[in-house]
Amino acid sequence: MKGSEHLILSAAEKLQRKILGLLGRSLLFAVTSVAALSVLAILFFIARDAWPFFRDKGVAAFFFSTAWYPAHQPPEFGAAAIFVGSLLVTLTAVALAVPPGVLAAICMSDILPFSVRQVLKPVVEMLAAIPSVVYGFFALTVLAPFLQDSGKWLPGGFEISSGVNALNASVILGVMALPTIVSVSEDALQAAGRELREGSYALGATRAETLVKVVLPAAVSGVFSAVLLGIMRAMGETMVVWMASGNAAQIPKPWYNLLQPVRTLTATIAGDMGEADQMTGSAHYHVLFAMGLSLLVISFLCNLAGEWIVTRQRKRLRGG
Amino acid sequence: MTDTVKQNVEAHVEARGFSVYYGSQEAVKKVDLAIPSCQVTAIIGPSGCGKSTFLRAINRMNDLITGCHTQGELFFDGQNVYSGDVDTAVVRRRIGMVFQKPNPFPKSIYDNVAYGPRLHGSYSRRQLDAIVEESLVDAALWDEVKDRLEKNALGLSGGQAQRLCLARALAVKPEMLLMDEPTSALDPKATARIEELIVQLRGRYTIAIVTHNMQQAARVSDMTAFFYEGNLVEFDATKDLFTRPREKRTEDYITGRFG
Amino acid sequence: MHMRTRRFLDRAFTSAACLAVGLMVLFLLFVLGPIFVKGAGAYVFMGTVEHRRMMLDQFDRGNEERVTAEWLDVQQARRPVYEALSAFEKELPGLPAARRKELKPAFKAVREGVAELLGPEPGEPLPALTRKMYGQTRWTKAQEKLKEIRFEESWDYSAGAGRKVLTSRQPLFDGTALAPLFPLLERDARKLLRPRLTFYPRFLTDVSIDAHFFGGIGPEVLGTMYLALGAMLIAVPLGIIAAIYFQEYAKEGPVMTFLRSCVNTLAGVPSIVFGLFGLAFFINTMHVSSGKSVLAGALTLALLVLPTVIRSSEEAIAAVPRAYKEGAMALGAGPWRTILTVILPAALPGILTGIVISMGRAAGETAPIIFTAAVSVGKMIGPTEIASQPTPALSWNLYNLCTEHEAVNEIRHVQFGMAATLVVIVLALNLVAILIRARVARRLKG
Ligand SMILES: Nc1ncnc2c1ncn2[C@@H]1O[C@H](COP(=O)(O)OP(=O)(O)O)[C@@H](O)[C@H]1O
Ligand SMILES: [Mg+2]
């Protein structure tokens, strides 16, 4: 090998390399595009199968009517109650999960020693890894009977007619959203930096004061994205709400009565597709795609909001 | 020691009006420099003066940096390294490089040394064994690692790792070696071993070494180039440059008035 | 503010934060505890002679001679039960009409209860359903049935909310030929059923018999494995190539920014929407199979885990020191060789971690496979049927068994066994990921 291999490529070699390089690059680019652009394909095909519903039945009844009678003659597809159900369990779940989630994140980033944190990290990961159907199974077989019985112990001999209701689903969704909220908030808190904390301690502030008045405000955009991700996880979850929410397409009376059963978009899609004509398409089939499209749009919006928060934060940091 | 070689110098690398830019910033400015064959050439200068940039330009390592481009000519073995038809793989095969921080791959010691040969040709296991041994012997590492060739190279000490990187570079039988502050991450003892090695390899390879350490330049090199703010200020036999610098800036630098 | 109040607030805050962490740990234990404890009951339990008989008949397992001998003994022990039943049946027409009217339904309940507990009476034709051919195979279940025979369950609504009331049936039959039955059942239950500690590890691989009344969850486990492995087989090459492109080739610009936000958006798509897409695209448009199939499910799941694979691979590639790349380049390696021989091997542990976690996710997901791959009842499918056949899967069948099965309460042990198995598979994959990460951290340290 020693000796003078020529440095200069012949014209043919050069062409060959150029072509091979270009080919490889384009192949990589093609594969990457397929992977990335699949989300557009999803949007397209969901919209394609949702379109016949909106074309034939219009938009207003779908969003504003609560009459959900897909099996009647003629069928009615008012999904307002289902939208409310999704919103209700999602917001309740996040409201339940955010305070303990953020507190736990604070505890893990600022209070516990490093070694304990190393042990807790897997706990958070395990909570996140448990399949949703297992959470649903837990909700159905353990939490539901417990909830139903718990009415007796409450003052006034409160009667809970069924353990599968909005509260059950919300609690479990909250537990499922918890790991996301904890780990994303923790990252945000860590990113706030040591100097900030030391500055505050140096002024004689206690740990709580430092965390609440200095660190949390600095990390607030990260916590916001954590909450957004939690909302997305709870909103898109299917199995738990299907198994634990009771699946009654009604708006609870009063609307905040979490002990009544509700029905969500995801559970409706999962539960009704079996009855809808999957191959040739029926109004029932298409309305489920309309719901899927709604979910997709909501998740896109949450994503946009998340990216907006991140860019705004980055700009603020650069400006300040 | 330099005089004997000086008569039959033949420039192995020759830069003519050679400039390197990062975007619009000119890091190396119209340098004319001829690095003689089979000698050790030291490149010294204050931090940020373009030493590494120039060294890395020789085997076209700057190609990796987006926005980096060159002007002028740089000849290696009589051929312009920056002409459009050059095969960078061959350039880099013929010009080996050792970096500031030892960078063995996270593979076995054997695989590290055999990496280059496997890249450029197909060898039988026996031939590879021979190349690996020869390279490790040349890098004065053989005795220390011959019993643990299959162990991961990340377990070596800093000095050993740097010698492994040297062996890795030698294994492809280059004609020239570029060293960018090869001892700045090492302790004095490991530094001394590397310096010894450089002296041993002199005569077989053309060596260009960037260094911060003036004593090191004086100890190991035949020729020394002094760079300042991207310009080649002075280039002379080491002996002369350190005893009778012609330029004021060189003198200031080697007497430690700045740097 | 007073220093004392401030200190108090500080303490309160700290405890609240620690409480939140405690709560999280508690949740985990609270969810996993019952599932593991009861799930273990599918593998280790007190099995009755009926279980051993069933295993011999249905799976041809166990020592035939011993089981037959035991069965003869048990039949001997059961004779008084059946004698009491037939004696009472003969006695019944002779009783006064009022008494007869009172006792007849109770006797019917007892007789049916005994049939459930001990299996069909000797001499009766063999029932068509396998579940009716045997008595209770599990001792805990048998004890429940015993209770149902001895006590009548009714609901008391006098206090507003309903309350369960149990009344013993024994006094009702006092003085009749059936009277000896009750002490017999109470006293000799063990002799009638012979409970014995039974290990049933093949629950994991056995087929189910008669809609999960007997047997194991083999088809579901196999289906889950097909789906998870299939999804990874598709997602991993795509994901790694995309990660390489993003990290090593892509020039930042509007196109890259757009592709990146596409990947981020894909990560946020709800899993049920993936299911809809799989149905609309892979099955109804591309016709990869005429209906649900493992292939369609794996493709759908692959899309679901793709963002995770891309991100974790990207992170792993980005974490490879630049010096490795420069070292390879300086030896004359081209970009491709550098990626294949240096960068990918160095990034491999990180990439593997992402793959293993994604695989756990694919194994546990339900929503994407409902319309694309999963069926409630099905047999083990062979590798050649992947493109044409749907399959049972742990996640879907867990849902199915605890909501849509015709006898949800009779097969609780199977449900818990399935849930525990699924959780163990998923957590084991996560554990592998944690171990890989720890190993890498250790290697980097020294
Ligand atoms: N990758 C790079 N991108 C932009 N500028 C660079 C880069 N590397 C070096 N430079 C600039 O080029 C000049 C010379 O740098 P360098 O060759 O590394 O100096 P030296 O090795 O002599 O300390 C410095 O001003 C430095 O800031
Ligand atoms: Mg330098």
Side-chain angles (χ1 to χ4, degrees), chain B residues 22 25 27 46-53 65:
Chain B
Y22 292 111
Q25 182 206 351
S47 181
C49 67
K51 308 182 293 289
S52 300
T53 304
I65 297 164

Side-chain angles (χ1 to χ4, degrees), chain A residues 1-225:
Chain A
M1 205 160 68
K2 177 98 186 173
S4 316
E5 246 173 283
H6 235 52
L7 296 185
I8 311 294
L9 290 166
S10 73
E13 263 179 323
K14 202 175 152 190
L15 191 70
Q16 186 195 349
R17 285 202 186 185
K18 214 168 190 168
I19 289 173
L20 276 180
L22 202 71
L23 218 67
R25 260 188 96 90
S26 348
L27 200 72
L28 275 184
F29 181 71
V31 172
T32 309
S33 304
V34 166
L37 297 182
S38 54
V39 73
L40 297 186
I42 291 178
L43 182 62
F44 174 78
F45 281 96
I46 302 289
R48 185 197 69 178
D49 279 13
W51 164 243
F53 173 79
F54 289 123
R55 187 191 55 206
D56 297 342
K57 312 272 172 185
V59 178
F62 179 63
F63 287 111
F64 300 114
S65 156
T66 57
W68 176 257
Y69 301 117
H72 279 195
Q73 253 343 307
E76 286 187 73
F77 296 110
I82 299 175
F83 276 95
V84 171
S86 267
L87 209 66
L88 187 67
V89 290
T90 302
L91 293 184
T92 316
V94 174
L96 288 174
V98 165
V102 173
L103 274 178
I106 288 176
C107 189
M108 287 178 67
S109 82
D110 277 84
I111 296 176
L112 292 174
F114 184 75
S115 53
V116 182
R117 201 186 313 160
Q118 291 307 94
V119 180
L120 280 172
K121 274 249 158 83
V123 168
V124 179
E125 277 169 23
M126 272 160 87
L127 266 179
I130 295 175
S132 59
V133 68
V134 174
Y135 276 115
F137 177 66
F138 173 83
L140 194 64
T141 53
V142 182
L143 191 59
F146 174 78
L147 269 182
Q148 202 163 348
D149 284 349
S150 67
K152 275 182 285 190
W153 309 332
L154 292 176
F158 209 64
E159 184 177 357
I160 298 176
S161 56
S162 168
V164 284
N165 52 35
L167 181 65
N168 187 336
S170 303
V171 168
I172 299 292
L173 282 183
V175 173
M176 291 178 73
L178 205 56
T180 315
I181 295 176
V182 172
S183 60
V184 177
S185 314
E186 199 203 335
D187 287 346
L189 289 169
Q190 296 258 319
R194 260 225 342 245
E195 292 84 356
L196 202 65
R197 288 161 227 239
E198 282 171 355
S200 169
Y201 285 130
L203 293 172
T206 62
R207 180 155 64 191
E209 285 160 352
T210 303
L211 287 169
V212 174
K213 291 186 187 155
V214 179
V215 179
L216 260 186
V220 76
S221 71
V223 175
F224 263 133
S225 6

Side-chain angles (χ1 to χ4, degrees), chain B residues 56 61 64-65 89 92 95 97 99 103-107 115 118-120 154 168-169, chain C residues 322-333 337-338 341-342 345-346 443-444 446:
Chain B
R56 292 162 57 91
M61 283 302 282
L64 301 183
I65 297 164
R92 293 180 190 146
I95 308 177
M97 186 162 205
F99 296 83
N103 60 346
F105 302 132
K107 302 170 182 290
Y115 183 86
R118 280 180 177 146
L119 215 53
H120 296 291
L154 296 187
R168 187 174 72 185
Chain C
R322 211 188 140 71
Y324 292 170
K325 191 173 162 186
E326 292 201 327
M329 292 292 223
L331 288 167
R337 297 292 275 276
T338 309
T341 57
V342 176
R443 208 180 61 187
L444 287 184

